[in-house]
Amino acid sequence: MDNTGFSNFLKSYRTHGEDTYICKNHCCKMDTTKKRTGLYWILFLVSVAVFFGVFAVAGGYCSMILPFNVTFLALALDLM
């Protein structure tokens, strides 16, 4: 089977050195921006330390730190 037509079709989507891929009949750019996961890991560890500090001082208020823990963990794992 001849795949030259398909390879020419794929080559037409590679323009200006940007990597692209085809998903369900349209062309999408791949995300090539650099993520700051190191900063988010540091912020996550700091928020965990603050969580345990608040838990030691005023145990009932430690739940106010949980959104920061979860958000920074999700950003560090590159889920958002």
Side-chain angles (χ1 to χ4, degrees), residues 52-67:
F52 284 114
V54 170
F55 181 73
V57 174
Y61 292 103
C62 65
S63 63
M64 298 184 77
I65 309 299
L66 285 176

Side-chain angles (χ1 to χ4, degrees), residues 10-73:
L10 286 178
K11 286 179 188 176
S12 67
Y13 280 101
R14 293 183 188 254
T15 57
H16 307 294
E18 298 175 352
D19 290 332
T20 56
Y21 65 97
I22 301 168
C23 55
K24 298 221 183 192
N25 300 331
H26 67 280
C27 183
C28 303
K29 286 186 180 178
M30 293 179 71
D31 190 17
T32 58
T33 59
K34 184 178 179 185
K35 305 287 182 179
R36 294 182 166 187
T37 56
L39 173 66
Y40 294 134
W41 278 111
I42 292 171
L43 289 172
F44 169 69
L45 294 175
V46 168
S47 69
V48 168
V50 170
F51 174 81
F52 284 114
V54 170
F55 181 73
V57 174
Y61 292 103
C62 65
S63 63
M64 298 184 77
I65 309 299
L66 285 176
F68 296 101
N69 292 346
V70 174
T71 302
F72 289 137
L73 179 63

